[in-house]
Amino acid sequence: MSLDPALRSRIESLLQANRVVLFMKGQPGMPQCGFSAKASGVLEDLGVEYAHVNVLADPEIREGIKAFGNWPTIPQLYIDAELVGGSDIIEQLAASGELSQVLGLPPPDRTPPQVTVTEAAAEKLRGALGDDPNAVLSLSIDARFQPRFQIAPRQDNAIAVEAAGLRIQFDPASARRADGITIDWVDDFRGQGLAIDNPNAPKPVQAITPSEADRQVRAGELVLVDVRPPEERLQASVAVTHRIFDDGGRADLEALPKDTRLAFLCHAGGRSGQAAEEFRAKGFTQVFNVEGGIDRWSQEVDASVPRY
């Protein structure tokens, strides 16, 4: 497709204003496709500052960027106004260390992780690999500590471990997250399949009652975060110290120590639950969701808080 000159100018301005730009579906905290999640996850793992463009919110950019770089899919990564590629290429360059080199970052840590594979799991994995001597197990662990197993070709330069007679390959970020894991095979009420016990994974988001959240905030043991927009907070607000996302509040929260106790609050608990999961994925280890939100807070803690 031909590219409108005004649209081309918009894209060029974006690339000139930011050294690293990721055109993606959604936002880094809430990607809206798996490929965009992988691409933004790689950049987050590297700790590089980058601009992102949510193409779902800008149909002109969504189609225009495909013509601009003659690349038919999203996401797309640009560095120094040059197209790098999509999620697969981004992952490959990150795994080889080339992406760190281009970005001027230190080489990634390639220390192999400590991995234990039970005999039950090893037996199942050997069966899956079959007789192909070139086939190995690849394990990736994303920023949310969700594992993904794949059968992949052997790569002699990959980060790899030998466990229970199996070769397991990792990308650099997954290798760090995998240190100390145990891979087992389960066959119980949960069904059949591989299971990973990962001591590095943050604890799941925990529920907290409004009364307990109120007590802990007043005792200085908990940071309460109201995730609602300003217009909702005007309708009803809690009478204890709390933080908000707007006016730079989100960035301030993300800069807190990762062991800060954070509790998230919204109207009924849905949006705050999503925010809690987002901060858990960023490495925060003590994350809570206020059950029932401010509506239940009004009923159990402070009846002067309007219900809406």
Side-chain angles (χ1 to χ4, degrees), residues 55-87:
V55 300
L56 298 180
D58 194 328
E60 280 193 342
I61 290 286
R62 180 177 184 175
E63 296 306 316
I65 193 63
K66 297 176 185 178
F68 182 85
N70 193 27
W71 191 269
T73 58
I74 304 292
Q76 295 183 22
L77 175 65
Y78 279 79
I79 300 176
D80 294 324
E82 294 291 333
L83 175 64
V84 174
S87 61

mmCIF file of all heavy atoms in Angstrom, residues 55-87:
data_model
loop_
_atom_site.group_PDB
_atom_site.id
_atom_site.type_symbol
_atom_site.label_atom_id
_atom_site.label_comp_id
_atom_site.label_asym_id
_atom_site.label_seq_id
_atom_site.Cartn_x
_atom_site.Cartn_y
_atom_site.Cartn_z
ATOM 1 N N VAL A 55 -0.969 0.030 18.522
ATOM 2 C CA VAL A 55 -1.557 0.182 17.191
ATOM 3 C C VAL A 55 -3.063 -0.054 17.203
ATOM 4 O O VAL A 55 -3.773 0.383 16.288
ATOM 5 C CB VAL A 55 -0.889 -0.763 16.174
ATOM 6 C CG1 VAL A 55 0.603 -0.468 16.058
ATOM 7 C CG2 VAL A 55 -1.124 -2.224 16.528
ATOM 8 N N LEU A 56 -3.578 -0.726 18.237
ATOM 9 C CA LEU A 56 -5.021 -0.949 18.318
ATOM 10 C C LEU A 56 -5.762 0.361 18.581
ATOM 11 O O LEU A 56 -6.948 0.475 18.276
ATOM 12 C CB LEU A 56 -5.347 -1.965 19.425
ATOM 13 C CG LEU A 56 -4.765 -3.369 19.237
ATOM 14 C CD1 LEU A 56 -5.175 -4.261 20.395
ATOM 15 C CD2 LEU A 56 -5.232 -3.978 17.911
ATOM 16 N N ALA A 57 -5.055 1.319 19.167
ATOM 17 C CA ALA A 57 -5.671 2.615 19.458
ATOM 18 C C ALA A 57 -5.468 3.611 18.326
ATOM 19 O O ALA A 57 -5.956 4.739 18.407
ATOM 20 C CB ALA A 57 -5.095 3.184 20.762
ATOM 21 N N ASP A 58 -4.757 3.210 17.282
ATOM 22 C CA ASP A 58 -4.453 4.120 16.176
ATOM 23 C C ASP A 58 -4.478 3.334 14.859
ATOM 24 O O ASP A 58 -3.441 2.848 14.399
ATOM 25 C CB ASP A 58 -3.086 4.775 16.380
ATOM 26 C CG ASP A 58 -2.857 5.975 15.471
ATOM 27 O OD1 ASP A 58 -3.386 5.960 14.342
ATOM 28 O OD2 ASP A 58 -2.141 6.905 15.883
ATOM 29 N N PRO A 59 -5.645 3.154 14.253
ATOM 30 C CA PRO A 59 -5.755 2.352 13.024
ATOM 31 C C PRO A 59 -4.843 2.837 11.897
ATOM 32 O O PRO A 59 -4.342 2.023 11.119
ATOM 33 C CB PRO A 59 -7.235 2.487 12.650
ATOM 34 C CG PRO A 59 -7.933 2.798 13.939
ATOM 35 C CD PRO A 59 -6.967 3.636 14.718
ATOM 36 N N GLU A 60 -4.625 4.142 11.799
ATOM 37 C CA GLU A 60 -3.742 4.653 10.749
ATOM 38 C C GLU A 60 -2.317 4.122 10.924
ATOM 39 O O GLU A 60 -1.686 3.659 9.970
ATOM 40 C CB GLU A 60 -3.732 6.184 10.760
ATOM 41 C CG GLU A 60 -4.929 6.832 10.085
ATOM 42 C CD GLU A 60 -4.685 8.311 9.858
ATOM 43 O OE1 GLU A 60 -3.779 8.891 10.509
ATOM 44 O OE2 GLU A 60 -5.409 8.900 9.032
ATOM 45 N N ILE A 61 -1.818 4.193 12.161
ATOM 46 C CA ILE A 61 -0.470 3.690 12.439
ATOM 47 C C ILE A 61 -0.433 2.173 12.243
ATOM 48 O O ILE A 61 0.553 1.624 11.726
ATOM 49 C CB ILE A 61 -0.037 4.051 13.874
ATOM 50 C CG1 ILE A 61 0.195 5.557 13.992
ATOM 51 C CG2 ILE A 61 1.212 3.279 14.271
ATOM 52 C CD1 ILE A 61 1.459 6.057 13.347
ATOM 53 N N ARG A 62 -1.501 1.500 12.641
ATOM 54 C CA ARG A 62 -1.526 0.031 12.550
ATOM 55 C C ARG A 62 -1.276 -0.428 11.123
ATOM 56 O O ARG A 62 -0.514 -1.375 10.882
ATOM 57 C CB ARG A 62 -2.867 -0.496 13.053
ATOM 58 C CG ARG A 62 -2.996 -2.019 13.011
ATOM 59 C CD ARG A 62 -4.318 -2.481 13.588
ATOM 60 N NE ARG A 62 -4.399 -3.938 13.646
ATOM 61 C CZ ARG A 62 -5.401 -4.610 14.187
ATOM 62 N NH1 ARG A 62 -6.422 -3.948 14.709
ATOM 63 N NH2 ARG A 62 -5.390 -5.934 14.199
ATOM 64 N N GLU A 63 -1.913 0.222 10.154
ATOM 65 C CA GLU A 63 -1.707 -0.155 8.757
ATOM 66 C C GLU A 63 -0.489 0.533 8.157
ATOM 67 O O GLU A 63 0.242 -0.049 7.352
ATOM 68 C CB GLU A 63 -2.960 0.183 7.940
ATOM 69 C CG GLU A 63 -4.191 -0.613 8.355
ATOM 70 C CD GLU A 63 -3.949 -2.113 8.338
ATOM 71 O OE1 GLU A 63 -3.338 -2.610 7.358
ATOM 72 O OE2 GLU A 63 -4.363 -2.805 9.290
ATOM 73 N N GLY A 64 -0.260 1.769 8.586
ATOM 74 C CA GLY A 64 0.831 2.535 8.001
ATOM 75 C C GLY A 64 2.208 1.989 8.328
ATOM 76 O O GLY A 64 3.111 1.995 7.476
ATOM 77 N N ILE A 65 2.393 1.459 9.546
ATOM 78 C CA ILE A 65 3.712 0.970 9.922
ATOM 79 C C ILE A 65 4.077 -0.279 9.111
ATOM 80 O O ILE A 65 5.262 -0.544 8.855
ATOM 81 C CB ILE A 65 3.782 0.682 11.435
ATOM 82 C CG1 ILE A 65 5.232 0.489 11.880
ATOM 83 C CG2 ILE A 65 2.935 -0.525 11.819
ATOM 84 C CD1 ILE A 65 6.103 1.703 11.688
ATOM 85 N N LYS A 66 3.071 -1.026 8.671
ATOM 86 C CA LYS A 66 3.345 -2.206 7.836
ATOM 87 C C LYS A 66 3.931 -1.780 6.485
ATOM 88 O O LYS A 66 4.849 -2.414 5.969
ATOM 89 C CB LYS A 66 2.063 -3.009 7.626
ATOM 90 C CG LYS A 66 1.468 -3.583 8.911
ATOM 91 C CD LYS A 66 0.142 -4.276 8.633
ATOM 92 C CE LYS A 66 -0.518 -4.751 9.916
ATOM 93 N NZ LYS A 66 -1.837 -5.388 9.665
ATOM 94 N N ALA A 67 3.386 -0.708 5.937
ATOM 95 C CA ALA A 67 3.901 -0.203 4.660
ATOM 96 C C ALA A 67 5.231 0.520 4.846
ATOM 97 O O ALA A 67 6.125 0.431 4.001
ATOM 98 C CB ALA A 67 2.874 0.731 4.028
ATOM 99 N N PHE A 68 5.364 1.212 5.977
ATOM 100 C CA PHE A 68 6.569 2.013 6.228
ATOM 101 C C PHE A 68 7.828 1.147 6.181
ATOM 102 O O PHE A 68 8.829 1.498 5.559
ATOM 103 C CB PHE A 68 6.446 2.700 7.591
ATOM 104 C CG PHE A 68 7.604 3.586 7.928
ATOM 105 C CD1 PHE A 68 7.639 4.901 7.492
ATOM 106 C CD2 PHE A 68 8.660 3.112 8.709
ATOM 107 C CE1 PHE A 68 8.718 5.730 7.819
ATOM 108 C CE2 PHE A 68 9.734 3.924 9.026
ATOM 109 C CZ PHE A 68 9.756 5.235 8.580
ATOM 110 N N GLY A 69 7.784 -0.004 6.855
ATOM 111 C CA GLY A 69 8.958 -0.871 6.905
ATOM 112 C C GLY A 69 8.850 -2.095 6.032
ATOM 113 O O GLY A 69 9.723 -2.967 6.091
ATOM 114 N N ASN A 70 7.768 -2.156 5.252
ATOM 115 C CA ASN A 70 7.524 -3.327 4.406
ATOM 116 C C ASN A 70 7.574 -4.610 5.239
ATOM 117 O O ASN A 70 8.226 -5.598 4.897
ATOM 118 C CB ASN A 70 8.535 -3.403 3.262
ATOM 119 C CG ASN A 70 8.117 -4.407 2.188
ATOM 120 O OD1 ASN A 70 6.924 -4.679 2.005
ATOM 121 N ND2 ASN A 70 9.085 -4.966 1.481
ATOM 122 N N TRP A 71 6.879 -4.569 6.378
ATOM 123 C CA TRP A 71 6.827 -5.706 7.297
ATOM 124 C C TRP A 71 5.350 -5.945 7.622
ATOM 125 O O TRP A 71 4.691 -5.045 8.143
ATOM 126 C CB TRP A 71 7.617 -5.389 8.572
ATOM 127 C CG TRP A 71 7.829 -6.586 9.462
ATOM 128 C CD1 TRP A 71 7.034 -7.007 10.474
ATOM 129 C CD2 TRP A 71 8.932 -7.494 9.414
ATOM 130 N NE1 TRP A 71 7.561 -8.121 11.062
ATOM 131 C CE2 TRP A 71 8.731 -8.449 10.430
ATOM 132 C CE3 TRP A 71 10.070 -7.594 8.600
ATOM 133 C CZ2 TRP A 71 9.625 -9.496 10.665
ATOM 134 C CZ3 TRP A 71 10.949 -8.633 8.842
ATOM 135 C CH2 TRP A 71 10.732 -9.566 9.862
ATOM 136 N N PRO A 72 4.809 -7.127 7.347
ATOM 137 C CA PRO A 72 3.353 -7.285 7.342
ATOM 138 C C PRO A 72 2.690 -7.516 8.681
ATOM 139 O O PRO A 72 1.451 -7.529 8.767
ATOM 140 C CB PRO A 72 3.161 -8.525 6.455
ATOM 141 C CG PRO A 72 4.406 -9.327 6.671
ATOM 142 C CD PRO A 72 5.511 -8.329 6.852
ATOM 143 N N THR A 73 3.461 -7.723 9.744
ATOM 144 C CA THR A 73 2.842 -8.107 11.011
ATOM 145 C C THR A 73 3.240 -7.167 12.141
ATOM 146 O O THR A 73 4.189 -6.401 12.044
ATOM 147 C CB THR A 73 3.238 -9.543 11.387
ATOM 148 O OG1 THR A 73 4.675 -9.627 11.479
ATOM 149 C CG2 THR A 73 2.735 -10.547 10.349
ATOM 150 N N ILE A 74 2.469 -7.264 13.232
ATOM 151 C CA ILE A 74 2.730 -6.539 14.474
ATOM 152 C C ILE A 74 2.989 -7.602 15.543
ATOM 153 O O ILE A 74 2.288 -8.611 15.562
ATOM 154 C CB ILE A 74 1.504 -5.677 14.866
ATOM 155 C CG1 ILE A 74 1.113 -4.716 13.745
ATOM 156 C CG2 ILE A 74 1.756 -4.923 16.160
ATOM 157 C CD1 ILE A 74 2.106 -3.629 13.475
ATOM 158 N N PRO A 75 3.992 -7.404 16.406
ATOM 159 C CA PRO A 75 4.744 -6.188 16.715
ATOM 160 C C PRO A 75 5.921 -5.951 15.769
ATOM 161 O O PRO A 75 6.335 -6.849 15.034
ATOM 162 C CB PRO A 75 5.255 -6.468 18.132
ATOM 163 C CG PRO A 75 5.451 -7.947 18.153
ATOM 164 C CD PRO A 75 4.309 -8.499 17.358
ATOM 165 N N GLN A 76 6.438 -4.729 15.867
ATOM 166 C CA GLN A 76 7.638 -4.353 15.128
ATOM 167 C C GLN A 76 8.522 -3.523 16.051
ATOM 168 O O GLN A 76 8.050 -2.586 16.699
ATOM 169 C CB GLN A 76 7.289 -3.523 13.887
ATOM 170 C CG GLN A 76 6.505 -4.266 12.834
ATOM 171 C CD GLN A 76 6.241 -3.420 11.607
ATOM 172 O OE1 GLN A 76 6.954 -2.448 11.338
ATOM 173 N NE2 GLN A 76 5.211 -3.763 10.854
ATOM 174 N N LEU A 77 9.814 -3.865 16.073
ATOM 175 C CA LEU A 77 10.771 -3.129 16.887
ATOM 176 C C LEU A 77 11.687 -2.311 15.985
ATOM 177 O O LEU A 77 12.229 -2.829 15.011
ATOM 178 C CB LEU A 77 11.615 -4.096 17.725
ATOM 179 C CG LEU A 77 12.743 -3.457 18.547
ATOM 180 C CD1 LEU A 77 12.177 -2.534 19.623
ATOM 181 C CD2 LEU A 77 13.624 -4.537 19.179
ATOM 182 N N TYR A 78 11.833 -1.021 16.338
ATOM 183 C CA TYR A 78 12.766 -0.129 15.648
ATOM 184 C C TYR A 78 13.824 0.346 16.638
ATOM 185 O O TYR A 78 13.511 0.703 17.785
ATOM 186 C CB TYR A 78 12.039 1.095 15.073
ATOM 187 C CG TYR A 78 11.344 0.838 13.751
ATOM 188 C CD1 TYR A 78 10.115 0.180 13.705
ATOM 189 C CD2 TYR A 78 11.917 1.255 12.550
ATOM 190 C CE1 TYR A 78 9.481 -0.063 12.494
ATOM 191 C CE2 TYR A 78 11.292 1.018 11.340
ATOM 192 C CZ TYR A 78 10.080 0.367 11.317
ATOM 193 O OH TYR A 78 9.452 0.130 10.105
ATOM 194 N N ILE A 79 15.068 0.333 16.195
ATOM 195 C CA ILE A 79 16.177 0.889 16.966
ATOM 196 C C ILE A 79 16.939 1.850 16.064
ATOM 197 O O ILE A 79 17.330 1.477 14.957
ATOM 198 C CB ILE A 79 17.124 -0.209 17.485
ATOM 199 C CG1 ILE A 79 16.373 -1.180 18.402
ATOM 200 C CG2 ILE A 79 18.304 0.414 18.230
ATOM 201 C CD1 ILE A 79 17.226 -2.347 18.879
ATOM 202 N N ASP A 80 17.119 3.061 16.539
ATOM 203 C CA ASP A 80 17.786 4.107 15.736
ATOM 204 C C ASP A 80 17.113 4.251 14.381
ATOM 205 O O ASP A 80 17.778 4.379 13.340
ATOM 206 C CB ASP A 80 19.272 3.787 15.568
ATOM 207 C CG ASP A 80 20.033 3.853 16.891
ATOM 208 O OD1 ASP A 80 19.681 4.720 17.715
ATOM 209 O OD2 ASP A 80 20.947 3.044 17.100
ATOM 210 N N ALA A 81 15.765 4.205 14.397
ATOM 211 C CA ALA A 81 14.932 4.401 13.200
ATOM 212 C C ALA A 81 15.080 3.270 12.185
ATOM 213 O O ALA A 81 14.591 3.385 11.061
ATOM 214 C CB ALA A 81 15.213 5.754 12.535
ATOM 215 N N GLU A 82 15.726 2.170 12.568
ATOM 216 C CA GLU A 82 15.889 1.029 11.670
ATOM 217 C C GLU A 82 15.035 -0.130 12.177
ATOM 218 O O GLU A 82 15.024 -0.437 13.366
ATOM 219 C CB GLU A 82 17.352 0.592 11.597
ATOM 220 C CG GLU A 82 18.284 1.619 10.964
ATOM 221 C CD GLU A 82 18.036 1.780 9.471
ATOM 222 O OE1 GLU A 82 17.552 0.817 8.841
ATOM 223 O OE2 GLU A 82 18.331 2.871 8.944
ATOM 224 N N LEU A 83 14.329 -0.784 11.252
ATOM 225 C CA LEU A 83 13.499 -1.925 11.617
ATOM 226 C C LEU A 83 14.366 -3.113 12.023
ATOM 227 O O LEU A 83 15.258 -3.529 11.277
ATOM 228 C CB LEU A 83 12.598 -2.318 10.442
ATOM 229 C CG LEU A 83 11.742 -3.577 10.626
ATOM 230 C CD1 LEU A 83 10.731 -3.389 11.738
ATOM 231 C CD2 LEU A 83 11.040 -3.926 9.312
ATOM 232 N N VAL A 84 14.081 -3.662 13.209
ATOM 233 C CA VAL A 84 14.766 -4.872 13.671
ATOM 234 C C VAL A 84 13.984 -6.108 13.260
ATOM 235 O O VAL A 84 14.540 -7.077 12.737
ATOM 236 C CB VAL A 84 14.945 -4.836 15.207
ATOM 237 C CG1 VAL A 84 15.521 -6.160 15.711
ATOM 238 C CG2 VAL A 84 15.842 -3.669 15.610
ATOM 239 N N GLY A 85 12.679 -6.085 13.491
ATOM 240 C CA GLY A 85 11.837 -7.217 13.119
ATOM 241 C C GLY A 85 10.737 -7.456 14.119
ATOM 242 O O GLY A 85 10.448 -6.609 14.975
ATOM 243 N N GLY A 86 10.115 -8.636 14.016
ATOM 244 C CA GLY A 86 9.019 -9.011 14.887
ATOM 245 C C GLY A 86 9.479 -9.807 16.088
ATOM 246 O O GLY A 86 10.674 -9.886 16.399
ATOM 247 N N SER A 87 8.520 -10.442 16.761
ATOM 248 C CA SER A 87 8.809 -11.063 18.050
ATOM 249 C C SER A 87 9.813 -12.200 17.945
ATOM 250 O O SER A 87 10.693 -12.348 18.806
ATOM 251 C CB SER A 87 7.508 -11.555 18.697
ATOM 252 O OG SER A 87 6.878 -12.523 17.884
#
